């Protein structure tokens, strides 16, 4: 069965510093990978997704992620964060054998400090 | 478009009462999903519909939970009777189609507290 592990539950970082949120998945079949952001008291919003092709995926708000098949990872990065990036970030996976159901990681709380 | 609409935004009820959560998907979207978010279990898919038909309800925790989609613009998630462990945020999401290329759009959620 597929699973998603987000290695950090909380990541504090200063404004304008770079950040990386880590995500590993386990699956023996082809996967589709996603990052979502959840701002306080709101639903999830898609940041970016990897379906196929280039392993470097660019998303909204200056975020990008790189698919690494050999390390089964899909880490999210941003070169310079803003206070407004403070939110919960979820990594997610869909596999064809999972009936296209989305499996979410536990989430990483990004806290940007001034 | 107004996006996915959920009501109520907050619900406080007592154990044993019936609770009904409502969702209006984005117009034209063929898929509707119900998720539950808790601190202990994270975000879990409960059930999803395609063209108003339930496709997979394997995530529904027990018989106290039921979901319906009587038409393309409305779905309900009902808990009867409710228990304190049902306290969570319940999200509804919709997508144009069901494949991984199709973005799911989430509603703002309903925060349920069962006393």
């Amino acid at each position: 069965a597929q699973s998603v592990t987000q290695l950090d539950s909380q990541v504090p970082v200063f404004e304008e510093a770079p950040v990386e949120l880590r995500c590993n998945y386990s699956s023996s079949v082809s996967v589709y990978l996603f990052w979502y952001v959840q701002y306080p008291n709101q639903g999830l919003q898609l940041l970016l997704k990897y379906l196929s092709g280039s392993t470097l995926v660019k998303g909204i708000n200056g975020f990008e992620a790189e698919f690494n098949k050999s390390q089964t990872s899909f880490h999210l990065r941003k070169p310079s964060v803003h206070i407004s990036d403070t939110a919960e970030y979820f990594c997610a996976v869909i596999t064809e054998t999972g009936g296209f159901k989305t499996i979410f990681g536990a989430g990483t709380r990004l806290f940007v400090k001034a | 478009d107004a996006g996915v609409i959920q009501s109520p935004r907050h619900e406080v009820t007592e154990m044993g009462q019936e609770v009904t959560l409502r969702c209006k998907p984005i117009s034209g979207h063929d898929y509707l999903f119900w998720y539950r978010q808790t601190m202990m279990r994270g975000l879990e898919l409960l059930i999803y519909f395609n063209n108003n038909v339930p496709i997979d309800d394997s995530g529904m925790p027990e018989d106290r939970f039921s979901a319906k989609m009587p038409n393309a613009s409305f779905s309900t998630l009902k808990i009867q009777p409710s228990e304190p462990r049902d306290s969570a945020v319940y999200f509804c999401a919709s997508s144009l189609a069901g494949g991984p290329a199709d973005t799911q759009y989430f509603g703002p959620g309903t925060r349920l507290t069962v006393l």
Side-chain angles (χ1 to χ4, degrees), chain A residues 77-112:
Chain A
R77 301 186 184 97
K78 186 169 182 177
S80 175
V81 294
H82 302 289
I83 297 288
S84 59
D85 293 322
T86 294
E88 189 96 18
Y89 292 79
F90 292 90
C91 182
V93 63
I94 293 178
T95 66
E96 293 182 4
T97 55
F100 293 118
K101 290 192 292 187
T102 305
I103 306 298
F104 288 89
T108 296
R109 173 86 176 147
L110 175 64
F111 179 59
V112 182

mmCIF file of all heavy atoms in Angstrom, chain A residues 77-112:
data_model
loop_
_atom_site.group_PDB
_atom_site.id
_atom_site.type_symbol
_atom_site.label_atom_id
_atom_site.label_comp_id
_atom_site.label_asym_id
_atom_site.label_seq_id
_atom_site.Cartn_x
_atom_site.Cartn_y
_atom_site.Cartn_z
ATOM 1 N N ARG A 77 10.406 23.319 -2.233
ATOM 2 C CA ARG A 77 11.403 24.342 -1.936
ATOM 3 C C ARG A 77 10.895 25.723 -2.335
ATOM 4 O O ARG A 77 10.063 25.870 -3.242
ATOM 5 C CB ARG A 77 12.710 24.074 -2.690
ATOM 6 C CG ARG A 77 13.358 22.745 -2.398
ATOM 7 C CD ARG A 77 14.712 22.640 -3.088
ATOM 8 N NE ARG A 77 15.294 21.300 -2.867
ATOM 9 C CZ ARG A 77 15.207 20.307 -3.739
ATOM 10 N NH1 ARG A 77 14.596 20.484 -4.897
ATOM 11 N NH2 ARG A 77 15.750 19.144 -3.466
ATOM 12 N N LYS A 78 11.426 26.720 -1.619
ATOM 13 C CA LYS A 78 11.208 28.106 -2.015
ATOM 14 C C LYS A 78 12.472 28.876 -1.632
ATOM 15 O O LYS A 78 12.953 28.749 -0.505
ATOM 16 C CB LYS A 78 9.982 28.706 -1.320
ATOM 17 C CG LYS A 78 9.646 30.104 -1.821
ATOM 18 C CD LYS A 78 8.301 30.599 -1.342
ATOM 19 C CE LYS A 78 8.011 31.979 -1.916
ATOM 20 N NZ LYS A 78 6.670 32.495 -1.529
ATOM 21 N N PRO A 79 13.041 29.648 -2.556
ATOM 22 C CA PRO A 79 14.321 30.304 -2.296
ATOM 23 C C PRO A 79 14.245 31.435 -1.270
ATOM 24 O O PRO A 79 15.238 31.729 -0.605
ATOM 25 C CB PRO A 79 14.736 30.839 -3.670
ATOM 26 C CG PRO A 79 13.494 30.895 -4.468
ATOM 27 C CD PRO A 79 12.594 29.831 -3.949
ATOM 28 N N SER A 80 13.067 32.044 -1.119
ATOM 29 C CA SER A 80 12.949 33.173 -0.202
ATOM 30 C C SER A 80 11.498 33.258 0.266
ATOM 31 O O SER A 80 10.608 33.549 -0.532
ATOM 32 C CB SER A 80 13.364 34.476 -0.905
ATOM 33 O OG SER A 80 13.159 35.591 -0.068
ATOM 34 N N VAL A 81 11.277 32.982 1.536
ATOM 35 C CA VAL A 81 9.892 32.916 2.029
ATOM 36 C C VAL A 81 9.435 34.269 2.560
ATOM 37 O O VAL A 81 10.232 35.121 2.960
ATOM 38 C CB VAL A 81 9.734 31.849 3.124
ATOM 39 C CG1 VAL A 81 9.962 30.466 2.537
ATOM 40 C CG2 VAL A 81 10.648 32.113 4.311
ATOM 41 N N HIS A 82 8.116 34.413 2.570
ATOM 42 C CA HIS A 82 7.475 35.618 3.111
ATOM 43 C C HIS A 82 6.630 35.236 4.312
ATOM 44 O O HIS A 82 6.247 34.069 4.481
ATOM 45 C CB HIS A 82 6.576 36.258 2.044
ATOM 46 C CG HIS A 82 7.314 36.613 0.796
ATOM 47 N ND1 HIS A 82 8.225 37.637 0.709
ATOM 48 C CD2 HIS A 82 7.277 36.048 -0.433
ATOM 49 C CE1 HIS A 82 8.710 37.698 -0.521
ATOM 50 N NE2 HIS A 82 8.152 36.743 -1.236
ATOM 51 N N ILE A 83 6.312 36.224 5.125
ATOM 52 C CA ILE A 83 5.435 35.998 6.274
ATOM 53 C C ILE A 83 4.144 35.320 5.829
ATOM 54 O O ILE A 83 3.617 34.433 6.513
ATOM 55 C CB ILE A 83 5.104 37.323 6.984
ATOM 56 C CG1 ILE A 83 6.369 37.979 7.550
ATOM 57 C CG2 ILE A 83 4.074 37.096 8.089
ATOM 58 C CD1 ILE A 83 6.953 37.289 8.746
ATOM 59 N N SER A 84 3.656 35.704 4.668
ATOM 60 C CA SER A 84 2.385 35.175 4.170
ATOM 61 C C SER A 84 2.448 33.702 3.783
ATOM 62 O O SER A 84 1.413 33.086 3.516
ATOM 63 C CB SER A 84 1.915 35.992 2.959
ATOM 64 O OG SER A 84 2.888 35.941 1.931
ATOM 65 N N ASP A 85 3.642 33.122 3.754
ATOM 66 C CA ASP A 85 3.771 31.686 3.465
ATOM 67 C C ASP A 85 3.504 30.827 4.690
ATOM 68 O O ASP A 85 3.464 29.592 4.594
ATOM 69 C CB ASP A 85 5.169 31.374 2.914
ATOM 70 C CG ASP A 85 5.421 31.975 1.551
ATOM 71 O OD1 ASP A 85 4.478 31.985 0.723
ATOM 72 O OD2 ASP A 85 6.558 32.439 1.296
ATOM 73 N N THR A 86 3.328 31.445 5.836
ATOM 74 C CA THR A 86 3.001 30.695 7.050
ATOM 75 C C THR A 86 1.695 29.946 6.840
ATOM 76 O O THR A 86 0.646 30.552 6.580
ATOM 77 C CB THR A 86 2.878 31.642 8.255
ATOM 78 O OG1 THR A 86 4.162 32.210 8.533
ATOM 79 C CG2 THR A 86 2.373 30.894 9.484
ATOM 80 N N ALA A 87 1.766 28.618 6.931
ATOM 81 C CA ALA A 87 0.610 27.765 6.627
ATOM 82 C C ALA A 87 1.007 26.316 6.882
ATOM 83 O O ALA A 87 2.144 26.018 7.234
ATOM 84 C CB ALA A 87 0.174 27.948 5.170
ATOM 85 N N GLU A 88 0.037 25.434 6.662
ATOM 86 C CA GLU A 88 0.283 23.996 6.727
ATOM 87 C C GLU A 88 0.438 23.496 5.302
ATOM 88 O O GLU A 88 -0.359 23.853 4.422
ATOM 89 C CB GLU A 88 -0.889 23.290 7.402
ATOM 90 C CG GLU A 88 -0.658 21.825 7.714
ATOM 91 C CD GLU A 88 -0.195 21.587 9.143
ATOM 92 O OE1 GLU A 88 -0.370 22.485 9.975
ATOM 93 O OE2 GLU A 88 0.346 20.504 9.412
ATOM 94 N N TYR A 89 1.437 22.656 5.083
ATOM 95 C CA TYR A 89 1.704 22.141 3.742
ATOM 96 C C TYR A 89 1.570 20.620 3.751
ATOM 97 O O TYR A 89 2.127 19.942 4.618
ATOM 98 C CB TYR A 89 3.107 22.555 3.281
ATOM 99 C CG TYR A 89 3.210 24.046 3.039
ATOM 100 C CD1 TYR A 89 3.361 24.925 4.094
ATOM 101 C CD2 TYR A 89 3.102 24.566 1.751
ATOM 102 C CE1 TYR A 89 3.415 26.302 3.879
ATOM 103 C CE2 TYR A 89 3.166 25.939 1.525
ATOM 104 C CZ TYR A 89 3.327 26.796 2.599
ATOM 105 O OH TYR A 89 3.375 28.155 2.381
ATOM 106 N N PHE A 90 0.841 20.112 2.770
ATOM 107 C CA PHE A 90 0.572 18.680 2.691
ATOM 108 C C PHE A 90 1.126 18.114 1.385
ATOM 109 O O PHE A 90 0.838 18.630 0.304
ATOM 110 C CB PHE A 90 -0.930 18.399 2.747
ATOM 111 C CG PHE A 90 -1.563 18.718 4.067
ATOM 112 C CD1 PHE A 90 -2.092 19.981 4.306
ATOM 113 C CD2 PHE A 90 -1.631 17.769 5.073
ATOM 114 C CE1 PHE A 90 -2.680 20.289 5.525
ATOM 115 C CE2 PHE A 90 -2.217 18.067 6.295
ATOM 116 C CZ PHE A 90 -2.744 19.328 6.518
ATOM 117 N N CYS A 91 1.864 17.040 1.530
ATOM 118 C CA CYS A 91 2.295 16.257 0.383
ATOM 119 C C CYS A 91 1.265 15.149 0.169
ATOM 120 O O CYS A 91 0.697 14.636 1.147
ATOM 121 C CB CYS A 91 3.672 15.666 0.671
ATOM 122 S SG CYS A 91 4.415 14.717 -0.653
ATOM 123 N N ALA A 92 1.009 14.798 -1.076
ATOM 124 C CA ALA A 92 -0.009 13.788 -1.358
ATOM 125 C C ALA A 92 0.400 12.963 -2.570
ATOM 126 O O ALA A 92 1.155 13.414 -3.425
ATOM 127 C CB ALA A 92 -1.368 14.441 -1.596
ATOM 128 N N VAL A 93 -0.135 11.753 -2.632
ATOM 129 C CA VAL A 93 0.177 10.836 -3.724
ATOM 130 C C VAL A 93 -1.088 10.176 -4.226
ATOM 131 O O VAL A 93 -2.024 9.926 -3.462
ATOM 132 C CB VAL A 93 1.212 9.775 -3.268
ATOM 133 C CG1 VAL A 93 0.640 8.912 -2.148
ATOM 134 C CG2 VAL A 93 1.633 8.880 -4.419
ATOM 135 N N ILE A 94 -1.123 9.946 -5.515
ATOM 136 C CA ILE A 94 -2.174 9.149 -6.144
ATOM 137 C C ILE A 94 -1.484 8.051 -6.949
ATOM 138 O O ILE A 94 -0.508 8.316 -7.648
ATOM 139 C CB ILE A 94 -3.049 9.987 -7.098
ATOM 140 C CG1 ILE A 94 -3.869 11.015 -6.326
ATOM 141 C CG2 ILE A 94 -3.970 9.093 -7.911
ATOM 142 C CD1 ILE A 94 -4.708 11.907 -7.215
ATOM 143 N N THR A 95 -1.974 6.829 -6.802
ATOM 144 C CA THR A 95 -1.491 5.755 -7.663
ATOM 145 C C THR A 95 -2.675 5.144 -8.393
ATOM 146 O O THR A 95 -3.799 5.187 -7.904
ATOM 147 C CB THR A 95 -0.786 4.641 -6.872
ATOM 148 O OG1 THR A 95 -1.750 3.985 -6.039
ATOM 149 C CG2 THR A 95 0.324 5.197 -6.017
ATOM 150 N N GLU A 96 -2.385 4.578 -9.538
ATOM 151 C CA GLU A 96 -3.464 3.990 -10.323
ATOM 152 C C GLU A 96 -4.069 2.799 -9.603
ATOM 153 O O GLU A 96 -5.270 2.566 -9.661
ATOM 154 C CB GLU A 96 -2.942 3.593 -11.698
ATOM 155 C CG GLU A 96 -2.555 4.790 -12.558
ATOM 156 C CD GLU A 96 -2.075 4.393 -13.930
ATOM 157 O OE1 GLU A 96 -2.113 3.198 -14.242
ATOM 158 O OE2 GLU A 96 -1.663 5.293 -14.672
ATOM 159 N N THR A 97 -3.248 2.056 -8.885
ATOM 160 C CA THR A 97 -3.784 0.905 -8.182
ATOM 161 C C THR A 97 -4.604 1.313 -6.976
ATOM 162 O O THR A 97 -5.331 0.512 -6.421
ATOM 163 C CB THR A 97 -2.655 -0.030 -7.706
ATOM 164 O OG1 THR A 97 -1.745 0.725 -6.915
ATOM 165 C CG2 THR A 97 -1.936 -0.639 -8.880
ATOM 166 N N GLY A 98 -4.467 2.554 -6.564
ATOM 167 C CA GLY A 98 -5.273 3.059 -5.452
ATOM 168 C C GLY A 98 -6.606 3.588 -5.895
ATOM 169 O O GLY A 98 -7.315 4.218 -5.119
ATOM 170 N N GLY A 99 -6.962 3.321 -7.156
ATOM 171 C CA GLY A 99 -8.240 3.799 -7.661
ATOM 172 C C GLY A 99 -8.283 5.301 -7.761
ATOM 173 O O GLY A 99 -9.342 5.906 -7.634
ATOM 174 N N PHE A 100 -7.136 5.906 -7.958
ATOM 175 C CA PHE A 100 -7.017 7.352 -8.064
ATOM 176 C C PHE A 100 -7.441 8.064 -6.794
ATOM 177 O O PHE A 100 -7.844 9.213 -6.834
ATOM 178 C CB PHE A 100 -7.787 7.883 -9.273
ATOM 179 C CG PHE A 100 -7.201 7.449 -10.579
ATOM 180 C CD1 PHE A 100 -7.931 6.673 -11.466
ATOM 181 C CD2 PHE A 100 -5.911 7.800 -10.918
ATOM 182 C CE1 PHE A 100 -7.370 6.263 -12.668
ATOM 183 C CE2 PHE A 100 -5.343 7.400 -12.118
ATOM 184 C CZ PHE A 100 -6.086 6.626 -12.999
ATOM 185 N N LYS A 101 -7.336 7.387 -5.661
ATOM 186 C CA LYS A 101 -7.610 8.056 -4.400
ATOM 187 C C LYS A 101 -6.359 8.781 -3.934
ATOM 188 O O LYS A 101 -5.247 8.287 -4.085
ATOM 189 C CB LYS A 101 -8.041 7.044 -3.335
ATOM 190 C CG LYS A 101 -9.417 6.468 -3.597
ATOM 191 C CD LYS A 101 -9.932 5.712 -2.403
ATOM 192 C CE LYS A 101 -9.142 4.448 -2.144
ATOM 193 N NZ LYS A 101 -9.776 3.635 -1.067
ATOM 194 N N THR A 102 -6.565 9.956 -3.357
ATOM 195 C CA THR A 102 -5.451 10.768 -2.874
ATOM 196 C C THR A 102 -5.111 10.381 -1.441
ATOM 197 O O THR A 102 -5.989 10.365 -0.586
ATOM 198 C CB THR A 102 -5.801 12.263 -2.935
ATOM 199 O OG1 THR A 102 -6.194 12.604 -4.269
ATOM 200 C CG2 THR A 102 -4.601 13.112 -2.543
ATOM 201 N N ILE A 103 -3.843 10.065 -1.209
ATOM 202 C CA ILE A 103 -3.345 9.770 0.129
ATOM 203 C C ILE A 103 -2.484 10.953 0.571
ATOM 204 O O ILE A 103 -1.520 11.319 -0.121
ATOM 205 C CB ILE A 103 -2.496 8.492 0.162
ATOM 206 C CG1 ILE A 103 -3.277 7.317 -0.453
ATOM 207 C CG2 ILE A 103 -2.059 8.175 1.586
ATOM 208 C CD1 ILE A 103 -4.537 6.963 0.271
ATOM 209 N N PHE A 104 -2.824 11.542 1.710
ATOM 210 C CA PHE A 104 -2.129 12.719 2.196
ATOM 211 C C PHE A 104 -1.114 12.373 3.283
ATOM 212 O O PHE A 104 -1.315 11.451 4.078
ATOM 213 C CB PHE A 104 -3.125 13.728 2.780
ATOM 214 C CG PHE A 104 -3.968 14.423 1.751
ATOM 215 C CD1 PHE A 104 -5.176 13.874 1.336
ATOM 216 C CD2 PHE A 104 -3.556 15.628 1.195
ATOM 217 C CE1 PHE A 104 -5.958 14.510 0.382
ATOM 218 C CE2 PHE A 104 -4.326 16.273 0.244
ATOM 219 C CZ PHE A 104 -5.525 15.711 -0.161
ATOM 220 N N GLY A 105 -0.032 13.154 3.315
ATOM 221 C CA GLY A 105 0.881 13.085 4.445
ATOM 222 C C GLY A 105 0.283 13.804 5.641
ATOM 223 O O GLY A 105 -0.797 14.407 5.563
ATOM 224 N N ALA A 106 0.998 13.747 6.753
ATOM 225 C CA ALA A 106 0.490 14.319 8.006
ATOM 226 C C ALA A 106 0.564 15.841 8.036
ATOM 227 O O ALA A 106 -0.043 16.474 8.901
ATOM 228 C CB ALA A 106 1.259 13.746 9.181
ATOM 229 N N GLY A 107 1.317 16.426 7.124
ATOM 230 C CA GLY A 107 1.409 17.876 7.058
ATOM 231 C C GLY A 107 2.652 18.407 7.749
ATOM 232 O O GLY A 107 3.188 17.800 8.686
ATOM 233 N N THR A 108 3.133 19.552 7.243
ATOM 234 C CA THR A 108 4.249 20.274 7.847
ATOM 235 C C THR A 108 3.820 21.705 8.068
ATOM 236 O O THR A 108 3.372 22.378 7.131
ATOM 237 C CB THR A 108 5.494 20.263 6.933
ATOM 238 O OG1 THR A 108 5.950 18.931 6.769
ATOM 239 C CG2 THR A 108 6.607 21.108 7.544
ATOM 240 N N ARG A 109 3.957 22.133 9.306
ATOM 241 C CA ARG A 109 3.592 23.501 9.636
ATOM 242 C C ARG A 109 4.790 24.403 9.378
ATOM 243 O O ARG A 109 5.824 24.283 10.040
ATOM 244 C CB ARG A 109 3.198 23.581 11.107
ATOM 245 C CG ARG A 109 2.946 24.966 11.619
ATOM 246 C CD ARG A 109 1.537 25.385 11.358
ATOM 247 N NE ARG A 109 1.255 26.698 11.948
ATOM 248 C CZ ARG A 109 0.435 27.566 11.423
ATOM 249 N NH1 ARG A 109 -0.198 27.279 10.297
ATOM 250 N NH2 ARG A 109 0.207 28.717 11.999
ATOM 251 N N LEU A 110 4.685 25.291 8.391
ATOM 252 C CA LEU A 110 5.740 26.267 8.106
ATOM 253 C C LEU A 110 5.417 27.562 8.828
ATOM 254 O O LEU A 110 4.327 28.112 8.654
ATOM 255 C CB LEU A 110 5.845 26.521 6.597
ATOM 256 C CG LEU A 110 6.832 27.616 6.167
ATOM 257 C CD1 LEU A 110 8.256 27.230 6.537
ATOM 258 C CD2 LEU A 110 6.720 27.882 4.667
ATOM 259 N N PHE A 111 6.356 27.997 9.652
ATOM 260 C CA PHE A 111 6.166 29.221 10.412
ATOM 261 C C PHE A 111 7.272 30.199 10.033
ATOM 262 O O PHE A 111 8.448 29.940 10.313
ATOM 263 C CB PHE A 111 6.202 28.923 11.916
ATOM 264 C CG PHE A 111 6.037 30.131 12.778
ATOM 265 C CD1 PHE A 111 4.906 30.916 12.694
ATOM 266 C CD2 PHE A 111 7.023 30.502 13.677
ATOM 267 C CE1 PHE A 111 4.741 32.039 13.491
ATOM 268 C CE2 PHE A 111 6.879 31.629 14.475
ATOM 269 C CZ PHE A 111 5.736 32.400 14.380
ATOM 270 N N VAL A 112 6.906 31.287 9.383
ATOM 271 C CA VAL A 112 7.879 32.270 8.925
ATOM 272 C C VAL A 112 7.923 33.419 9.928
ATOM 273 O O VAL A 112 6.897 34.056 10.206
ATOM 274 C CB VAL A 112 7.521 32.796 7.527
ATOM 275 C CG1 VAL A 112 8.584 33.800 7.057
ATOM 276 C CG2 VAL A 112 7.419 31.644 6.536
#
